[in-house]
Amino acid sequence: MTMSYTARLLVVDDEEFGGAAADAVLDRLPERSPRLGIATGDTPMPLYVELARRVRAGEIDVSSGFLIALDEYIGLDCQDPRSYAAYVRTRVGAPLGIPAHNILVPDGLAADPDVEAAAFERRIDDLGGVDVQIAGIGSNGHLAFNEPGSPLESTTRAVALSEQTRADNARFFAGCSDVPHRAITQGLGTICRARSVVLLARGATKAAALAAALTGPVGTEVPASVLQRHPAVTVIADRSAAADLSIRHH
Ligand code: GLP
């Protein structure tokens, strides 16, 4: 198997993960009013911790920046600690010194999620687009909440979550039955309009999905495979997540 395109792949030890991810993000992020696309979940936390450390140490200043979320659960209030709005505000915005009014997350309580999704897509464009999009990958190959079957050109929209995704994310809720059934997510086409993408993967549960996304055919069955079409992707994986990648790397 060979990678069919020119993404940069870094396979790193656990303790290097946050630093390598921070370097990759900052390498592509403009100093003035950076627009950073935020993924949620466990995987990017070492990156956010490292960026916060660099802010506290005075090494970087991103306080003039904007944070743009990938997705949000439909039905959760932005004050709900399980909402992605709360995640972006408290785990990324506050530690990086980015004020709440510079943080964009779809409104999970919008009366009409489709209208909210379309408005969110316009808000991204009005800001001038995303400079660096941080992304994770679902164990089923999803990107944001674009589940298998999502059109590669899709834009921000309301979607139904797969049972696998609801089960994977049950750990953030009281149980699987508590996980919302729907979400608003940036589309695969939206994500691909970011000027750069930093794709992060940690842990053995991501190995098959990462290999399929990076070295398999591009198609709707593996939504993250759309990144093969993006000209500026950096992939950072720990050794477990990279285990199924039979390619040469340093
Ligand atoms: C979630 C999010 C994705 C995230 C992925 C992996 O469902 N919507 O944006 O990348 O699943 O999450 P984790 O890093 O916790 O495994």
Side-chain angles (χ1 to χ4, degrees):
M1 247 190 316
T2 53
M3 281 171 93
S4 54
Y5 65 115
T6 54
R8 197 158 65 103
L9 170 67
L10 298 172
V11 179
V12 298
D13 289 325
D14 286 347
E15 61 275 17
E16 300 169 331
F17 196 91
D23 288 345
V25 167
L26 295 169
D27 188 45
R28 303 269 187 164
L29 204 62
E31 281 187 18
R32 276 192 55 191
S33 305
R35 285 148 300 191
L36 187 58
I38 298 297
T40 54
D42 287 327
T43 306
M45 278 312 299
L47 162 63
Y48 301 141
V49 167
E50 174 61 15
L51 289 175
R53 189 197 66 72
R54 294 186 193 190
V55 165
R56 283 196 310 276
E59 294 170 19
I60 58 169
D61 179 357
V62 291
S63 59
S64 66
F66 294 84
L67 302 179
I68 302 168
L70 279 174
D71 44 19
E72 178 62 288
Y73 291 108
I74 290 177
L76 293 192
D77 184 274
C78 66
Q79 298 302 330
D80 187 313
R82 301 164 304 179
S83 71
Y84 288 167
Y87 179 112
V88 178
R89 227 174 30 242
T90 61
R91 298 185 188 208
V92 193
L96 298 187
I98 296 176
H101 60 260
N102 281 1
I103 299 177
L104 274 70
V105 184
D107 179 0
L109 289 187
D112 186 333
D114 293 316
V115 170
E116 170 64 8
F120 191 77
E121 182 87 9
R122 279 196 305 275
R123 288 205 290 275
I124 298 173
D125 286 343
D126 291 347
L127 266 185
V130 171
D131 293 311
V132 179
Q133 178 63 58
I134 299 159
I137 185 169
S139 64
N140 63 353
H142 79 207
L143 197 56
F145 274 137
N146 293 280
E147 301 283 27
S150 297
L152 301 183
E153 306 296 335
S154 49
T155 54
T156 306
R157 67 206 187 287
V159 293
L161 301 182
S162 72
E163 287 313 305
Q164 184 174 346
T165 294
R166 294 185 63 247
D168 285 351
N169 289 359
R171 67 190 192 280
F172 300 114
F173 292 82
C176 199
S177 58
D178 254 29
V179 182
H181 288 265
R182 299 179 72 213
I184 294 174
T185 184
Q186 285 190 35
L188 296 173
T190 319
I191 293 167
C192 282
R193 285 203 297 282
R195 282 175 273 283
S196 300
V197 178
V198 176
L199 177 66
L200 307 176
R202 292 197 292 139
T205 58
K206 303 298 176 67
L210 188 67
L214 298 185
T215 63
V218 176
T220 58
E221 277 311 292
V222 181
S225 67
V226 75
L227 294 177
Q228 292 186 34
R229 294 184 174 168
H230 193 288
V233 177
T234 301
V235 181
I236 300 176
D238 69 7
R239 294 190 190 281
S240 320
D244 290 359
L245 291 170
S246 48
I247 53 175
R248 287 168 54 198
H249 51 76
H250 335 276

PDB file of all heavy atoms in Angstrom, residues 72-92:
ATOM      1  N   GLU A  72     -21.805  20.382  16.470  1.00  0.00           N
ATOM      2  CA  GLU A  72     -22.507  20.500  17.757  1.00  0.00           C
ATOM      3  C   GLU A  72     -23.678  19.529  17.770  1.00  0.00           C
ATOM      4  O   GLU A  72     -24.299  19.269  16.738  1.00  0.00           O
ATOM      5  CB  GLU A  72     -23.015  21.935  17.947  1.00  0.00           C
ATOM      6  CG  GLU A  72     -23.804  22.177  19.228  1.00  0.00           C
ATOM      7  CD  GLU A  72     -23.016  21.940  20.522  1.00  0.00           C
ATOM      8  OE1 GLU A  72     -22.747  20.761  20.829  1.00  0.00           O
ATOM      9  OE2 GLU A  72     -22.694  22.941  21.198  1.00  0.00           O
ATOM     10  N   TYR A  73     -23.959  18.990  18.936  1.00  0.00           N
ATOM     11  CA  TYR A  73     -25.127  18.125  19.099  1.00  0.00           C
ATOM     12  C   TYR A  73     -26.398  18.958  19.026  1.00  0.00           C
ATOM     13  O   TYR A  73     -26.480  20.033  19.638  1.00  0.00           O
ATOM     14  CB  TYR A  73     -25.107  17.452  20.464  1.00  0.00           C
ATOM     15  CG  TYR A  73     -24.024  16.415  20.644  1.00  0.00           C
ATOM     16  CD1 TYR A  73     -22.930  16.670  21.462  1.00  0.00           C
ATOM     17  CD2 TYR A  73     -24.113  15.175  20.014  1.00  0.00           C
ATOM     18  CE1 TYR A  73     -21.943  15.710  21.647  1.00  0.00           C
ATOM     19  CE2 TYR A  73     -23.132  14.216  20.192  1.00  0.00           C
ATOM     20  CZ  TYR A  73     -22.054  14.486  21.010  1.00  0.00           C
ATOM     21  OH  TYR A  73     -21.087  13.544  21.190  1.00  0.00           O
ATOM     22  N   ILE A  74     -27.392  18.456  18.328  1.00  0.00           N
ATOM     23  CA  ILE A  74     -28.713  19.092  18.339  1.00  0.00           C
ATOM     24  C   ILE A  74     -29.425  18.708  19.632  1.00  0.00           C
ATOM     25  O   ILE A  74     -29.466  17.533  20.011  1.00  0.00           O
ATOM     26  CB  ILE A  74     -29.537  18.660  17.102  1.00  0.00           C
ATOM     27  CG1 ILE A  74     -28.919  19.285  15.839  1.00  0.00           C
ATOM     28  CG2 ILE A  74     -31.006  19.082  17.243  1.00  0.00           C
ATOM     29  CD1 ILE A  74     -29.586  18.874  14.538  1.00  0.00           C
ATOM     30  N   GLY A  75     -29.923  19.731  20.334  1.00  0.00           N
ATOM     31  CA  GLY A  75     -30.667  19.491  21.573  1.00  0.00           C
ATOM     32  C   GLY A  75     -29.902  19.866  22.825  1.00  0.00           C
ATOM     33  O   GLY A  75     -30.471  19.869  23.912  1.00  0.00           O
ATOM     34  N   LEU A  76     -28.604  20.174  22.698  1.00  0.00           N
ATOM     35  CA  LEU A  76     -27.839  20.585  23.874  1.00  0.00           C
ATOM     36  C   LEU A  76     -27.675  22.094  23.892  1.00  0.00           C
ATOM     37  O   LEU A  76     -27.309  22.706  22.888  1.00  0.00           O
ATOM     38  CB  LEU A  76     -26.457  19.929  23.906  1.00  0.00           C
ATOM     39  CG  LEU A  76     -26.380  18.416  24.098  1.00  0.00           C
ATOM     40  CD1 LEU A  76     -24.933  17.991  24.391  1.00  0.00           C
ATOM     41  CD2 LEU A  76     -27.299  17.934  25.202  1.00  0.00           C
ATOM     42  N   ASP A  77     -27.930  22.667  25.063  1.00  0.00           N
ATOM     43  CA  ASP A  77     -27.730  24.101  25.274  1.00  0.00           C
ATOM     44  C   ASP A  77     -26.213  24.377  25.311  1.00  0.00           C
ATOM     45  O   ASP A  77     -25.442  23.521  25.749  1.00  0.00           O
ATOM     46  CB  ASP A  77     -28.362  24.458  26.622  1.00  0.00           C
ATOM     47  CG  ASP A  77     -28.295  25.942  26.894  1.00  0.00           C
ATOM     48  OD1 ASP A  77     -27.266  26.401  27.429  1.00  0.00           O
ATOM     49  OD2 ASP A  77     -29.263  26.629  26.540  1.00  0.00           O
ATOM     50  N   CYS A  78     -25.830  25.572  24.875  1.00  0.00           N
ATOM     51  CA  CYS A  78     -24.390  25.876  24.851  1.00  0.00           C
ATOM     52  C   CYS A  78     -23.787  25.936  26.257  1.00  0.00           C
ATOM     53  O   CYS A  78     -22.570  25.887  26.416  1.00  0.00           O
ATOM     54  CB  CYS A  78     -24.119  27.156  24.068  1.00  0.00           C
ATOM     55  SG  CYS A  78     -24.804  28.628  24.837  1.00  0.00           S
ATOM     56  N   GLN A  79     -24.635  26.031  27.287  1.00  0.00           N
ATOM     57  CA  GLN A  79     -24.121  26.006  28.659  1.00  0.00           C
ATOM     58  C   GLN A  79     -24.000  24.578  29.204  1.00  0.00           C
ATOM     59  O   GLN A  79     -23.402  24.363  30.267  1.00  0.00           O
ATOM     60  CB  GLN A  79     -25.028  26.822  29.599  1.00  0.00           C
ATOM     61  CG  GLN A  79     -25.122  28.297  29.244  1.00  0.00           C
ATOM     62  CD  GLN A  79     -23.760  28.992  29.229  1.00  0.00           C
ATOM     63  OE1 GLN A  79     -22.850  28.616  29.967  1.00  0.00           O
ATOM     64  NE2 GLN A  79     -23.618  29.983  28.367  1.00  0.00           N
ATOM     65  N   ASP A  80     -24.582  23.625  28.496  1.00  0.00           N
ATOM     66  CA  ASP A  80     -24.501  22.228  28.932  1.00  0.00           C
ATOM     67  C   ASP A  80     -23.041  21.783  28.835  1.00  0.00           C
ATOM     68  O   ASP A  80     -22.429  21.910  27.777  1.00  0.00           O
ATOM     69  CB  ASP A  80     -25.388  21.377  28.007  1.00  0.00           C
ATOM     70  CG  ASP A  80     -25.515  19.937  28.486  1.00  0.00           C
ATOM     71  OD1 ASP A  80     -24.482  19.324  28.835  1.00  0.00           O
ATOM     72  OD2 ASP A  80     -26.647  19.428  28.507  1.00  0.00           O
ATOM     73  N   PRO A  81     -22.473  21.246  29.927  1.00  0.00           N
ATOM     74  CA  PRO A  81     -21.058  20.878  29.883  1.00  0.00           C
ATOM     75  C   PRO A  81     -20.730  19.812  28.841  1.00  0.00           C
ATOM     76  O   PRO A  81     -19.577  19.670  28.447  1.00  0.00           O
ATOM     77  CB  PRO A  81     -20.773  20.349  31.300  1.00  0.00           C
ATOM     78  CG  PRO A  81     -22.084  20.221  31.977  1.00  0.00           C
ATOM     79  CD  PRO A  81     -23.079  21.072  31.246  1.00  0.00           C
ATOM     80  N   ARG A  82     -21.748  19.079  28.381  1.00  0.00           N
ATOM     81  CA  ARG A  82     -21.486  18.049  27.367  1.00  0.00           C
ATOM     82  C   ARG A  82     -21.530  18.624  25.952  1.00  0.00           C
ATOM     83  O   ARG A  82     -21.234  17.927  24.979  1.00  0.00           O
ATOM     84  CB  ARG A  82     -22.514  16.928  27.491  1.00  0.00           C
ATOM     85  CG  ARG A  82     -22.500  16.263  28.859  1.00  0.00           C
ATOM     86  CD  ARG A  82     -23.739  15.456  29.098  1.00  0.00           C
ATOM     87  NE  ARG A  82     -24.959  16.264  28.942  1.00  0.00           N
ATOM     88  CZ  ARG A  82     -26.190  15.807  29.074  1.00  0.00           C
ATOM     89  NH1 ARG A  82     -26.376  14.539  29.371  1.00  0.00           N
ATOM     90  NH2 ARG A  82     -27.225  16.604  28.926  1.00  0.00           N
ATOM     91  N   SER A  83     -21.936  19.898  25.825  1.00  0.00           N
ATOM     92  CA  SER A  83     -22.008  20.504  24.492  1.00  0.00           C
ATOM     93  C   SER A  83     -20.609  20.804  23.982  1.00  0.00           C
ATOM     94  O   SER A  83     -19.672  21.019  24.758  1.00  0.00           O
ATOM     95  CB  SER A  83     -22.831  21.792  24.536  1.00  0.00           C
ATOM     96  OG  SER A  83     -22.112  22.814  25.223  1.00  0.00           O
ATOM     97  N   TYR A  84     -20.475  20.821  22.665  1.00  0.00           N
ATOM     98  CA  TYR A  84     -19.189  21.190  22.085  1.00  0.00           C
ATOM     99  C   TYR A  84     -18.928  22.690  22.276  1.00  0.00           C
ATOM    100  O   TYR A  84     -17.781  23.122  22.331  1.00  0.00           O
ATOM    101  CB  TYR A  84     -19.130  20.796  20.606  1.00  0.00           C
ATOM    102  CG  TYR A  84     -19.003  19.294  20.403  1.00  0.00           C
ATOM    103  CD1 TYR A  84     -19.195  18.723  19.149  1.00  0.00           C
ATOM    104  CD2 TYR A  84     -18.668  18.438  21.460  1.00  0.00           C
ATOM    105  CE1 TYR A  84     -19.071  17.356  18.949  1.00  0.00           C
ATOM    106  CE2 TYR A  84     -18.532  17.075  21.266  1.00  0.00           C
ATOM    107  CZ  TYR A  84     -18.736  16.534  20.011  1.00  0.00           C
ATOM    108  OH  TYR A  84     -18.605  15.177  19.815  1.00  0.00           O
ATOM    109  N   ALA A  85     -19.995  23.471  22.411  1.00  0.00           N
ATOM    110  CA  ALA A  85     -19.812  24.898  22.705  1.00  0.00           C
ATOM    111  C   ALA A  85     -19.052  25.062  24.018  1.00  0.00           C
ATOM    112  O   ALA A  85     -18.113  25.861  24.116  1.00  0.00           O
ATOM    113  CB  ALA A  85     -21.164  25.599  22.779  1.00  0.00           C
ATOM    114  N   ALA A  86     -19.452  24.273  25.036  1.00  0.00           N
ATOM    115  CA  ALA A  86     -18.776  24.360  26.334  1.00  0.00           C
ATOM    116  C   ALA A  86     -17.337  23.877  26.214  1.00  0.00           C
ATOM    117  O   ALA A  86     -16.418  24.470  26.792  1.00  0.00           O
ATOM    118  CB  ALA A  86     -19.536  23.533  27.371  1.00  0.00           C
ATOM    119  N   TYR A  87     -17.135  22.814  25.461  1.00  0.00           N
ATOM    120  CA  TYR A  87     -15.770  22.287  25.253  1.00  0.00           C
ATOM    121  C   TYR A  87     -14.877  23.369  24.645  1.00  0.00           C
ATOM    122  O   TYR A  87     -13.780  23.646  25.148  1.00  0.00           O
ATOM    123  CB  TYR A  87     -15.859  21.070  24.331  1.00  0.00           C
ATOM    124  CG  TYR A  87     -14.535  20.391  23.981  1.00  0.00           C
ATOM    125  CD1 TYR A  87     -14.250  19.114  24.465  1.00  0.00           C
ATOM    126  CD2 TYR A  87     -13.603  20.990  23.135  1.00  0.00           C
ATOM    127  CE1 TYR A  87     -13.059  18.469  24.123  1.00  0.00           C
ATOM    128  CE2 TYR A  87     -12.414  20.360  22.800  1.00  0.00           C
ATOM    129  CZ  TYR A  87     -12.154  19.093  23.294  1.00  0.00           C
ATOM    130  OH  TYR A  87     -10.971  18.456  22.951  1.00  0.00           O
ATOM    131  N   VAL A  88     -15.336  23.975  23.552  1.00  0.00           N
ATOM    132  CA  VAL A  88     -14.485  24.939  22.847  1.00  0.00           C
ATOM    133  C   VAL A  88     -14.209  26.160  23.737  1.00  0.00           C
ATOM    134  O   VAL A  88     -13.083  26.655  23.801  1.00  0.00           O
ATOM    135  CB  VAL A  88     -15.118  25.366  21.499  1.00  0.00           C
ATOM    136  CG1 VAL A  88     -14.252  26.416  20.804  1.00  0.00           C
ATOM    137  CG2 VAL A  88     -15.318  24.158  20.593  1.00  0.00           C
ATOM    138  N   ARG A  89     -15.243  26.611  24.448  1.00  0.00           N
ATOM    139  CA  ARG A  89     -15.100  27.789  25.318  1.00  0.00           C
ATOM    140  C   ARG A  89     -14.129  27.539  26.469  1.00  0.00           C
ATOM    141  O   ARG A  89     -13.217  28.325  26.702  1.00  0.00           O
ATOM    142  CB  ARG A  89     -16.468  28.123  25.888  1.00  0.00           C
ATOM    143  CG  ARG A  89     -16.861  29.564  25.827  1.00  0.00           C
ATOM    144  CD  ARG A  89     -18.288  29.790  26.286  1.00  0.00           C
ATOM    145  NE  ARG A  89     -18.810  28.886  27.270  1.00  0.00           N
ATOM    146  CZ  ARG A  89     -19.855  28.072  27.077  1.00  0.00           C
ATOM    147  NH1 ARG A  89     -20.491  28.057  25.927  1.00  0.00           N
ATOM    148  NH2 ARG A  89     -20.285  27.270  28.041  1.00  0.00           N
ATOM    149  N   THR A  90     -14.336  26.399  27.165  1.00  0.00           N
ATOM    150  CA  THR A  90     -13.595  26.199  28.419  1.00  0.00           C
ATOM    151  C   THR A  90     -12.256  25.508  28.212  1.00  0.00           C
ATOM    152  O   THR A  90     -11.303  25.798  28.925  1.00  0.00           O
ATOM    153  CB  THR A  90     -14.422  25.378  29.432  1.00  0.00           C
ATOM    154  OG1 THR A  90     -14.706  24.096  28.865  1.00  0.00           O
ATOM    155  CG2 THR A  90     -15.731  26.073  29.752  1.00  0.00           C
ATOM    156  N   ARG A  91     -12.169  24.599  27.237  1.00  0.00           N
ATOM    157  CA  ARG A  91     -10.918  23.852  27.084  1.00  0.00           C
ATOM    158  C   ARG A  91      -9.961  24.490  26.096  1.00  0.00           C
ATOM    159  O   ARG A  91      -8.782  24.172  26.071  1.00  0.00           O
ATOM    160  CB  ARG A  91     -11.193  22.425  26.632  1.00  0.00           C
ATOM    161  CG  ARG A  91     -12.014  21.672  27.644  1.00  0.00           C
ATOM    162  CD  ARG A  91     -12.134  20.261  27.192  1.00  0.00           C
ATOM    163  NE  ARG A  91     -13.068  19.540  28.015  1.00  0.00           N
ATOM    164  CZ  ARG A  91     -13.007  18.234  28.222  1.00  0.00           C
ATOM    165  NH1 ARG A  91     -12.076  17.528  27.658  1.00  0.00           N
ATOM    166  NH2 ARG A  91     -13.890  17.652  28.976  1.00  0.00           N
ATOM    167  N   VAL A  92     -10.499  25.363  25.217  1.00  0.00           N
ATOM    168  CA  VAL A  92      -9.636  25.966  24.201  1.00  0.00           C
ATOM    169  C   VAL A  92      -9.660  27.492  24.321  1.00  0.00           C
ATOM    170  O   VAL A  92      -8.607  28.111  24.504  1.00  0.00           O
ATOM    171  CB  VAL A  92     -10.054  25.533  22.770  1.00  0.00           C
ATOM    172  CG1 VAL A  92      -8.959  25.898  21.769  1.00  0.00           C
ATOM    173  CG2 VAL A  92     -10.353  24.027  22.701  1.00  0.00           C
TER     174      VAL A  92
END
